[in-house]
Amino acid sequence: MKIVFYGAGNMASAIFIGMIENRVVKPEQIYLTSRSQKEKIMFFKENLGVNISYDDMELLEGADYVILASKPQSFPDVAKRIRPHLEEKTKIVSVMAGTQIKTIRRELKTENPIARIMPNTNAMVQHSVSGITYSENFPNKDELVELMKSFGTTVVVEEEEEMHNITAATGSGSAFLYYIYEKYAESLMDLGFSEEEAMFLTTNLVIGAGKMVEDSELPFSQLRRNITSKRGTTEAGLDALDGEGIKEILSRTLNAAATRSQELSKDDADE
C-alpha cells in the first residue's frame, strides 16, 4: 500500500504517526510532501523512515490513497499539481475542514472516489474520534475505516452536511477542553498554588477523571453525583458553574465552530 500526504501539519502528522506506531502500515509506505514545511518533513524522514518527495509524478505513481492535508486556501494550487498525475485507482481522502466533496472533485477534475475525514490530534496517542463521509462511488470503505482505527475510533456520517457538527465536536473539541484545563490551572494559581503545582494538580485531575470515565460504565451525571455531598464543597462549586451558565457557554462554543465550518464551506463553493 502506498499512502501519499500532501501537507504535514499537526493533523496529518498525527495520522501517519498513529498508523506507523500502531503498525498498520510500514514507514516506507508513507510518502510526504510539503513545500512550506521542508524541515519538518525531513525530520519525519530521519526519525520515522518515511519517504519525502517534491516530484508529483513520483508521488502519485501507484498511490492507493492521497491524503489532502493542506490548508483549504492552498488546495487549488495543490490540485493543479495533483491533477495531471492522478491514477484511476487512487482514492482521495481529505482532512481539510469545510471543503466539500464536490469542491474537491471540481478542483481535481476527477471522478476518483473521495472521502472526507475529520480526526483530531489525539490521533498521536491513538485516541482520535474521527468523523468520515464518502462519495457514492467509494469502494472498500472498510479498508479506510481499518486504517483510521490505527489512530482512534470512527463515526460514519451518512450526510456530508453533518460533518460541520463533527468538525465542531471532535475536530475542535480537544482545543476547547485544553482551554478549560488551562483556565482551571490559572484559577488554582489564583488560590495561591505555584504554576508548577497548578499544572501538576490539573494534569493529574484530568488523567484521573479520564481513567474513571474509561473504566466505568456510569454516565457523567452519576460520576458527578457520586462525589457531590449535600451542602458540601463540591455542590457549592457546581452551583457557581451553573450560575455562570456553563451549559450555555459550551453550546455557544460548539455552535460557533459549526457555523464557521459552514461558512468555510460556502466560501469554498462560491470560488
Side-chain angles (χ1 to χ4, degrees), residues 91-148:
K91 294 181 277 291
I92 311 297
V93 180
S94 169
V95 296
M96 298 182 296
T99 305
Q100 299 178 38
I101 287 174
K102 66 180 181 181
T103 302
I104 297 167
R105 194 175 296 292
R106 183 191 71 216
E107 292 291 339
L108 289 175
K109 295 181 170 55
T110 183
E111 292 301 318
N112 285 51
I114 300 172
R116 284 181 60 192
I117 65 173
M118 180 46 60
N120 58 42
T121 53
N122 292 345
M124 294 186 73
V125 291
Q126 289 84 55
H127 275 280
S128 175
V129 180
S130 307
I132 181 169
T133 191
Y134 307 93
S135 63
E136 291 182 359
N137 65 335
F138 201 98
N140 199 359
K141 297 175 182 178
D142 290 344
E143 181 181 72
L144 181 56
V145 169
E146 286 301 315
L147 284 172
M148 293 176 64

Side-chain angles (χ1 to χ4, degrees), residues 9-232:
N10 291 336
M11 197 69 79
S13 58
I15 292 171
F16 62 72
I17 289 171
M19 287 180 174
I20 291 168
E21 289 191 348
N22 216 36
R23 299 183 179 180
V24 172
V25 298
K26 297 176 182 178
E28 56 266 29
Q29 293 175 291
I30 300 290
Y31 289 72
L32 308 181
T33 188
S34 175
R35 294 179 177 177
S36 64
Q37 296 177 307
K38 293 184 178 180
E39 290 185 7
K40 190 172 186 179
I41 63 172
M42 180 57 72
F43 172 85
F44 289 131
K45 175 180 172 64
E46 293 173 351
N47 288 273
L48 296 178
V50 299
N51 302 283
I52 66 172
S53 176
Y54 301 99
D55 183 331
D56 297 301
M57 181 180 293
E58 176 188 16
L59 285 164
L60 294 166
E61 184 178 6
D64 296 286
Y65 289 93
V66 169
I67 313 296
L68 300 174
S70 62
K71 294 179 180 178
Q73 59 267 33
S74 302
F75 177 55
D77 291 332
V78 172
K80 288 178 184 176
R81 293 169 50 194
I82 293 174
R83 196 184 300 143
H85 311 295
L86 195 57
E87 296 182 359
E88 187 176 336
K89 79 162 192 169
T90 304
K91 294 181 277 291
I92 311 297
V93 180
S94 169
V95 296
M96 298 182 296
T99 305
Q100 299 178 38
I101 287 174
K102 66 180 181 181
T103 302
I104 297 167
R105 194 175 296 292
R106 183 191 71 216
E107 292 291 339
L108 289 175
K109 295 181 170 55
T110 183
E111 292 301 318
N112 285 51
I114 300 172
R116 284 181 60 192
I117 65 173
M118 180 46 60
N120 58 42
T121 53
N122 292 345
M124 294 186 73
V125 291
Q126 289 84 55
H127 275 280
S128 175
V129 180
S130 307
I132 181 169
T133 191
Y134 307 93
S135 63
E136 291 182 359
N137 65 335
F138 201 98
N140 199 359
K141 297 175 182 178
D142 290 344
E143 181 181 72
L144 181 56
V145 169
E146 286 301 315
L147 284 172
M148 293 176 64
K149 283 182 180 178
S150 67
F151 52 88
T153 57
T154 302
V155 177
V156 176
V157 177
E158 297 298 336
E159 298 295 330
E160 187 179 5
E161 189 67 18
E162 296 174 18
M163 289 293 284
H164 299 305
N165 291 337
I166 288 289
T167 299
T170 64
S172 301
S174 294
F176 302 150
L177 293 176
Y178 294 147
Y179 187 72
I180 291 170
Y181 305 156
E182 175 189 349
K183 296 306 171 185
Y184 192 91
E186 290 176 3
S187 297
L188 290 181
M189 292 167 64
D190 292 341
L191 281 179
F193 291 101
S194 69
E195 182 177 359
E196 183 179 0
E197 290 169 335
M199 284 296 298
F200 177 82
L201 291 171
T202 303
T203 298
N204 282 280
L205 277 170
V206 170
I207 293 170
K211 285 296 293 179
M212 285 291 291
V213 170
E214 182 179 42
D215 294 344
S216 173
E217 295 182 357
L218 297 175
F220 298 145
S221 57
Q222 187 59 53
L223 290 171
R224 169 180 55 79
R225 283 192 289 267
N226 287 349
I227 54 174
T228 307
S229 302
K230 187 74 172 174
R231 301 180 68 183

